[in-house]
Amino acid sequence: MGRVCTAVLAGLCVLFVVAQASLECKNKGSCSECIQTPNCMWCGRSGNFTDESGQNLKRCVKRTDEGVSQWRETCGAYNVYDLANFFEMIDNFELTQAGVLAGSGSASGGGAGGSWSAGSSEAVVQIKPQRVAMQLRVQESYSMTVTFRQAEDYPVDLYYLMDLSKSMEDDKESLSLLGAQLAFEMQQITQNFRLGFGSFVDKVVMPYVSTVPEKLEAPCLGCARPYGFKNALPLTADASSFEAEVRNAPVSGNLDAPEGGFDAIMQAIVCQDQIKWRQEARRLLVFSTDAGFHYAGDGKLGGIVKPNDGKCHLDPLYNNYTHSTLQDYPSVSQINQVAKEHKMNLIFAVTAEQSSVYKELAKMIEGSGQGELTANSSNVVELVKAEYDKITSKVELKDNATAPVSIRYFSKCKSNTEKETAVCQGLKVGDQVDFRVEITVEKCPENREDWKQLIHIYPVGLRELLAIELEMLCDCACEREGNAGFIDRAAECSFAGTYQCGVCDCFDNYLGSRCECGANTTIEADGTFDESSCRETNTSSVCSGRGSCTCGECTCNERDDTAERVSGKFCECTNFLCNRFNGVLCGGPDHGVCDCNTCKCKPGWKGDACMCEDSQDNCINPASGEVCSLRGDCECNQCKCSENENGRYSGKWCEDCPTCKGKCEPYKPCVQCLFFQTGELSEEECKANCSDMFNATLVPIAAEEEAGERLCSFYDENDCRFKFVYGYDENKEPVVRVQQTLECPPKLDILGIVLGVIGAIVAVGLALLLMWKVLTTIHDRREFARFEKERMMARWDTGENPIYKQATSTFKNPMYGGK
């Protein structure tokens, strides 16, 4: 069954990649379920499918299973459904050679007022292959090579769409003067070039334009009537016509800042016949403005609520947009949709003030670019040429595939390393780029009609594409009515189901491999079968979740690993769900075996995972012969030390206790009274209580010398530190070694310290007083000297002193005449 994959066809290498099986092949009940699982195949043999010993064989197995050759032989070559991915080349025309365009005409003219002709050209091939057919299984990917090479002298159509509001008047003059130069520069890139011109203002309704009658005739001085969009010059090879049309185009005016550019873009794209866009040409739409744009929803301001229909509405007589006042502006997504559909490359040539806005807009429209105009558009030729170079130096593959089909792209571009990308940049005319396209069907759609799809892979901005006729392999031929392996109401199915591909597909209310369960089986109120006999308890899963209930009995699932088994009346037992030790089931075959989810340990081992030796040899302290030194329990032949109020024991045999209090405190009073005659015990108490407590000796330095000894250190009432070490001899009797010298702090001269402190305080006080006296004396002397200096410098005169008054007063009688 299935067709053979063609490896190499007409130079195209097709790589077959088998995906890892993400689901089990076993326990699949039908051929369609089986082949929808990667790497699985089905036996559709009629009747019982058993081996020589009569053992039932699984109908769905992996291609890589052990014994699959014998399985194939038993099933029969014509009964095996091992559907394979299939690839067939339909159209694979060679790429157009660089510099060769069949039928391309020669250019003439090019100066101001000149013209050129391109002639007719046959279809240019820039992508191969052009059409393929393939059949794919779920999650079994196919890789194929797609080659792209940009041809020289590829036809180019450039339509210049300009905002002709009053503020763009100087830009229009520049464009009319540069029209011939624009045509000449584009001719250097391609001889097959055509140029067109259109203009726009805004919708002729309030509040976009003034509807006062005189303003409708002349919205500004020297302005023409406002309009929405006008196709002034369809695409033509005559440069002089372009210059004349731009020069004679009148400017107009409106009220608000944004313009109706989206209306114009929509009409310029969808009016294919009126603009005269060529099918086999790269289409450039240059949009020039110094203002923002209205978009869908803004029409409500003018009482226009009908959405834009995305259709052409140009007056055949005057080439004006007739529905400007009848329907709303288009949305950004509508512009993007029609630009993709008609393979349009938009170039937004805008002033610096609007550059940031249109840069973001260009990101939202496929195949768009943005450049910055000078104040009067004098750089328009350089801008168009630069943006065209950006567009043509980049190839980006896209597709229209939808779920559940996924497509990934890989390419080396111009490097030696392949990476996952659908974009190659920095290309020149004639550069060839190979893309490895990996196509995967993630799952089969529920709707059978979606099993066949036509997918397009295309370079952005070009009309050429690769068409893929994809058929998903989601079922087997023996599951289709009319096939020899399809029998409705078959006797093999107790006349209660359809016999297909060797198994029964039972009707509703019937179960069993032969649809034998149903008539005598208890059916619940909701229409399901009574499965209570397949549950171990009322809360248990049916067949413990490891099998299926057939006619009231559990049929346990089989495992991919033949060594793993599920058994029991309710499929409750397994030989693979026991505890593990070091990642090994029941510690390994030498330790125990898994029996019904529980480890059965072999002699010499114990524990829930048979991980413990059944012995206490490693727990016996060789020094004392006691198990864990009587300070812990022996578990798994290892000591687990205990903990009490004194501390926690440690060590291999729990012989150590770093945190325990030990004998330091009990031995302290006796060491003090016996060797240093200090402490809380009197001489009589010392003799009575300490004489036989331990065997003690004096040593120069007390230090731990053997394992198990402990150093004790204390301070007495004189702040002298004494040290001793205690341990045990071979008879477990305490032995104490006392350091013979006390470590006492040096004696301090308290009186000298007190007197010194008092003297220091007095000296500091006297020094401060003396400093204060000296400073005040110096200050007083300076003040007195300054006073004396000022007094000596004073030279008072009675005539000059403003506060001096003479002792006598003089009066004059105005009536006295001297007589």
Side-chain angles (χ1 to χ4, degrees), residues 141-172:
S141 303
Y142 236 106
S143 288
M144 60 178 295
T145 299
V146 177
T147 303
F148 176 85
R149 183 174 66 207
Q150 182 176 257
E152 292 184 4
D153 280 339
Y154 191 77
V156 175
D157 289 346
L158 190 152
Y159 191 81
Y160 202 97
L161 183 58
M162 191 171 189
D163 173 10
L164 281 190
S165 56
K166 182 66 174 178
S167 60
M168 292 287 287
E169 188 171 15
D170 56 342
D171 301 78
K172 180 183 79 73

Side-chain angles (χ1 to χ4, degrees), residues 759-777:
I761 293 173
V762 172
V764 170
L766 290 175
L768 293 174
L769 288 174
L770 179 61
M771 290 174 60
W772 173 79
K773 183 61 178 175
V774 171
L775 292 174
T776 55
T777 301

Side-chain angles (χ1 to χ4, degrees), residues 351-391:
T351 55
E353 295 80 5
Q354 302 297 327
S355 178
S356 59
V357 175
Y358 283 91
K359 184 179 292 184
E360 295 301 317
L361 178 62
K363 294 178 183 179
M364 305 172 71
I365 300 178
E366 184 179 293
S368 298
Q370 179 268 336
E372 192 172 302
L373 285 173
T374 57
N376 62 351
S377 298
S378 59
N379 68 329
V380 65
V381 176
E382 292 79 4
L383 186 151
V384 172
K385 185 178 178 182
E387 290 301 318
Y388 180 80
D389 287 341
K390 288 181 184 178
I391 293 172

Side-chain angles (χ1 to χ4, degrees), residues 4-141:
V4 180
C5 171
T6 304
V8 179
L9 287 174
L12 177 64
C13 178
V14 181
L15 302 177
F16 175 68
V17 181
V18 178
Q20 282 287 345
S22 59
L23 300 173
E24 299 286 349
C25 291
K26 292 186 178 181
N27 303 318
K28 299 301 178 185
S30 66
C31 187
S32 57
E33 289 182 3
C34 181
I35 66 165
Q36 289 181 31
T37 306
N39 206 25
C40 296
M41 54 185 181
W42 177 268
C43 176
R45 172 182 169 180
S46 300
N48 295 328
F49 183 36
T50 59
D51 57 15
E52 296 177 354
S53 63
Q55 182 72 26
N56 288 330
L57 298 177
K58 285 294 180 182
R59 290 188 177 271
C60 186
V61 297
K62 283 184 181 179
R63 297 188 182 111
T64 55
D65 278 349
E66 185 178 353
V68 73
S69 299
Q70 182 62 39
W71 181 90
R72 284 178 176 272
E73 184 177 341
T74 304
C75 179
Y78 293 100
N79 295 321
V80 175
Y81 287 83
D82 184 13
L83 304 187
N85 289 353
F86 170 82
F87 177 87
E88 181 183 3
M89 191 77 71
I90 299 177
D91 291 330
N92 188 36
F93 301 113
E94 289 299 322
L95 299 174
T96 301
Q97 294 295 321
V100 178
L101 283 182
S104 60
S106 60
S108 62
S115 64
W116 68 94
S117 61
S120 61
S121 64
E122 297 178 2
V124 180
V125 180
Q126 298 184 114
I127 187 172
K128 63 173 293 189
Q130 296 79 40
R131 180 174 288 269
V132 299
M134 60 176 61
Q135 296 176 341
L136 296 184
R137 284 187 57 171
V138 172
Q139 296 185 6
E140 292 190 2
S141 303

Side-chain angles (χ1 to χ4, degrees), residues 563-710:
E564 296 180 353
R565 296 188 305 277
V566 180
S567 60
K569 179 180 179 182
F570 303 101
C571 303
E572 72 278 11
C573 293
T574 72
N575 67 341
F576 55 86
L577 291 180
C578 293
N579 292 331
R580 295 173 181 267
F581 177 65
N582 289 336
V584 181
L585 194 68
C586 296
D590 295 336
H591 291 199
V593 295
C594 182
D595 183 14
C596 198
N597 308 331
T598 304
C599 286
K600 303 294 184 182
C601 299
K602 293 184 177 181
W605 297 93
K606 63 180 181 179
D608 57 0
C610 301
M611 65 288 189
C612 300
E613 293 183 57
D614 192 8
S615 172
Q616 293 186 343
D617 293 345
N618 291 336
C619 296
I620 299 176
N621 189 335
S624 63
E626 297 169 338
V627 175
C628 298
S629 304
L630 301 179
R631 296 168 181 165
D633 299 323
C634 185
E635 297 182 2
C636 290
N637 206 13
Q638 298 290 330
C639 284
K640 183 178 181 181
C641 301
S642 60
E643 182 179 1
N644 55 32
E645 65 277 3
N646 293 324
R648 182 179 181 85
Y649 292 96
S650 63
K652 181 177 180 181
W653 303 290
C654 304
E655 70 277 13
D656 296 329
C657 186
T659 60
C660 292
K661 295 180 180 179
K663 299 295 185 179
C664 288
E665 285 291 341
Y667 291 168
K668 171 188 172 185
C670 292
V671 169
Q672 280 188 276
C673 71
L674 288 176
F675 295 95
F676 304 110
Q677 291 76 46
T678 59
E680 60 189 26
L681 297 179
S682 64
E683 185 177 352
E684 291 77 13
E685 291 174 332
C686 184
K687 291 180 180 179
N689 298 324
C690 302
S691 298
D692 300 327
M693 178 174 286
F694 47 72
N695 181 17
T697 58
L698 285 173
V699 294
I701 297 177
E704 298 176 354
E705 298 177 355
E706 298 180 1
E709 291 186 339
R710 185 165 181 180

Side-chain angles (χ1 to χ4, degrees), residues 450-503:
D450 295 333
W451 291 2
K452 291 186 178 182
Q453 296 186 11
L454 179 62
I455 298 175
H456 291 162
I457 296 177
Y458 58 91
V460 173
L462 294 175
R463 300 192 67 82
E464 297 176 71
L465 55 84
L466 163 61
I468 301 176
E469 299 174 3
L470 174 64
E471 180 182 354
M472 305 178 195
L473 300 177
C474 296
D475 68 347
C476 302
C478 52
E479 292 177 316
R480 302 168 192 164
E481 190 172 356
N483 187 276
F486 184 97
I487 305 175
D488 191 26
R489 296 188 177 277
E492 294 87 345
C493 302
S494 307
F495 303 102
T498 302
Y499 193 65
Q500 52 188 18
C501 300
V503 295

Side-chain angles (χ1 to χ4, degrees), residues 169-218:
E169 188 171 15
D170 56 342
D171 301 78
K172 180 183 79 73
E173 297 301 328
S174 297
L175 182 60
S176 66
L177 296 175
L178 296 173
Q181 184 183 348
L182 176 61
F184 176 77
E185 291 293 340
M186 293 303 296
Q187 270 189 291
Q188 305 308 305
I189 300 173
T190 173
Q191 296 291 326
N192 201 345
F193 176 68
R194 297 199 306 176
L195 191 62
F197 177 71
S199 60
F200 65 91
V201 181
D202 210 337
K203 294 183 181 297
V204 190
V205 294
M206 284 290 289
Y208 316 115
V209 301
S210 175
T211 56
V212 177
E214 55 269 22
K215 291 294 182 181
L216 285 177
E217 292 298 326

Side-chain angles (χ1 to χ4, degrees), residues 750-796:
I750 303 300
L751 180 60
I753 294 174
V754 172
L755 293 176
V757 171
I758 294 174
I761 293 173
V762 172
V764 170
L766 290 175
L768 293 174
L769 288 174
L770 179 61
M771 290 174 60
W772 173 79
K773 183 61 178 175
V774 171
L775 292 174
T776 55
T777 301
I778 293 172
H779 180 266
D780 291 345
R781 287 182 180 275
R782 285 181 177 177
E783 290 294 320
F784 180 75
R786 188 172 62 178
F787 170 74
E788 285 296 323
K789 183 179 179 181
E790 292 177 352
R791 189 175 65 81
M792 294 296 294
M793 291 176 62
R795 295 290 185 269
W796 300 108

